[in-house]
Amino acid sequence: MRNSFRNRNLLYAVIDLSYGQLRRIPVSEQVALTFLHFNRWKYFSNFGNIFFITLFVLQCSFRPSPIDRPDIMNYPEGITALPEDGEYFSPIRSLPTGFYVRQVFMNNKRHRPEFLISQLTVTEAKNWEETRFEGKLVADPEGKGFRFRPKLCRIFTSKGPGDRWALTRAFECDHFEFLIWKAGPNEIRLVPGPEGEEEGLLLRRSASSVPGRVTAVVLRAKEGILEIWGIRLARVRKEATLVIEKPDGKRTRLRSLKTVETTGEIQADGNILRPGDLILYTNPGEAGPLAYE
């Protein structure tokens, strides 16, 4: 009898009413109340998630440009001319197992100005990787430089020079913005750098660089074969002539072996060439031939 009474008590729960009275509620009713409270909590939990996601998106949407800061926004004093068109390269920088180099191509004289930023990364552990920034170039109102805002950024990989690039990732980058100004004879400064370097990058071009000529940089030499890279090498034709132009203006004729998209190989032919040297290609009819020794 006692066991029967005890079992019946298990079917009820006692709660405190607002009147100060006690009432026993069946367990089934308590489960229903619990489920109702859970649904309310779940609703507010979902609402909270949506609220925080919306707040995050708004913060990202209104995030200021990387250069919209007073310490790097202003141009240096004394700049009176816009940068010249051409192809500019950064120094080749070492990595623990490889190297990387950046390039800028600028042609402001066209009806629709061209401007490209590209970075090549070569490591032993991975394939070659090329990151390309493409977008719109606008002259600064003060006439001291240009402002570049990329619309599309893409990452390509390949096994090495002479192989075609495969697109691996594309991402939005219109929240980036860069300033470009003339830093000296045949030099420009890009602020910030493609990876957020606040001091920016210093890039140089060959003295004979013009949009009608294609420029490439020597990456490394293997058994008399020079590996080169340039974002416009795909425009080189078979009849093109090529020379290396040293910083002192001395030019030497070279022989091209092949070009595939943005990489290629040339024959050293006993010439002393070093990583960072610039090669100039001239297609027939696109620019005047360069004299060489």
Side-chain angles (χ1 to χ4, degrees), residues 11 52 89 107 125 137 146 157 163 171 192 196 216 241 251 274 286:
L11 300 177
F52 284 112
F89 292 84
N107 184 5
L137 184 69
F146 296 99
T157 60
D163 293 328
F171 57 96
T241 59
R251 305 188 190 102
R274 296 179 176 84
E286 292 190 5

Side-chain angles (χ1 to χ4, degrees), residues 207-259:
S208 301
S209 176
V210 294
R213 296 191 181 98
V214 176
T215 310
V217 62
V218 175
L219 300 176
R220 58 189 180 185
K222 287 187 176 181
E223 300 178 355
I225 305 300
L226 302 174
E227 297 176 352
I228 61 174
W229 172 73
I231 56 179
R232 297 200 305 150
L233 276 179
R235 303 187 185 185
V236 172
R237 300 202 297 267
K238 289 184 179 180
E239 300 82 7
T241 59
L242 64 150
V243 300
I244 178 173
E245 185 171 64
K246 294 287 189 176
D248 61 3
K250 182 180 179 180
R251 305 188 190 102
T252 304
R253 178 76 180 267
L254 298 173
R255 183 162 56 94
S256 177
L257 296 179
K258 66 176 179 179
T259 58

Side-chain angles (χ1 to χ4, degrees), residues 84 182-187 204:
E84 295 94 351
K182 184 174 182 178
N186 299 311
E187 292 181 340
R204 71 175 182 89

Side-chain angles (χ1 to χ4, degrees), residues 23-74:
R23 184 166 73 90
R24 293 189 302 174
I25 295 180
V27 173
S28 60
E29 192 174 329
Q30 184 186 16
V31 171
L33 288 173
T34 303
F35 182 74
L36 177 62
H37 290 309
F38 173 77
N39 279 342
R40 291 177 179 175
W41 174 86
K42 184 178 179 182
Y43 167 77
F44 285 109
S45 176
N46 290 336
F47 175 79
N49 289 337
I50 294 173
F51 173 78
F52 284 112
I53 291 174
T54 304
L55 182 62
F56 176 77
V57 171
L58 289 176
Q59 287 180 339
C60 291
S61 299
F62 293 101
R63 183 171 55 179
S65 161
I67 63 168
D68 285 343
R69 302 207 319 245
D71 57 338
I72 56 175
M73 188 64 181
N74 296 328

Side-chain angles (χ1 to χ4, degrees), residues 134-276:
E134 305 168 36
K136 184 178 181 181
L137 184 69
V138 179
D140 186 80
E142 299 180 4
K144 295 183 177 181
F146 296 99
R147 184 179 300 270
F148 175 66
R149 171 164 288 181
K151 298 297 182 182
L152 177 64
C153 295
R154 296 181 292 175
I155 298 177
F156 298 81
T157 60
S158 75
K159 294 182 180 180
D163 293 328
R164 296 194 177 277
W165 294 100
L167 177 64
T168 58
R169 187 161 65 95
F171 57 96
E172 293 183 359
C173 51
D174 56 358
H175 58 287
F176 292 151
E177 196 170 31
F178 303 90
L179 289 182
I180 305 99
W181 66 80
K182 184 174 182 178
N186 299 311
E187 292 181 340
I188 61 170
R189 182 165 289 277
L190 177 75
V191 177
E195 295 186 356
E197 301 94 333
E198 293 188 2
E199 70 280 4
L201 297 178
L202 184 66
L203 304 100
R204 71 175 182 89
R205 68 168 194 167
S206 171
S208 301
S209 176
V210 294
R213 296 191 181 98
V214 176
T215 310
V217 62
V218 175
L219 300 176
R220 58 189 180 185
K222 287 187 176 181
E223 300 178 355
I225 305 300
L226 302 174
E227 297 176 352
I228 61 174
W229 172 73
I231 56 179
R232 297 200 305 150
L233 276 179
R235 303 187 185 185
V236 172
R237 300 202 297 267
K238 289 184 179 180
E239 300 82 7
T241 59
L242 64 150
V243 300
I244 178 173
E245 185 171 64
K246 294 287 189 176
D248 61 3
K250 182 180 179 180
R251 305 188 190 102
T252 304
R253 178 76 180 267
L254 298 173
R255 183 162 56 94
S256 177
L257 296 179
K258 66 176 179 179
T259 58
V260 179
E261 295 185 350
T262 62
T263 62
E265 294 179 348
I266 59 176
Q267 186 74 45
D269 291 331
N271 295 299
I272 300 176
L273 304 178
R274 296 179 176 84

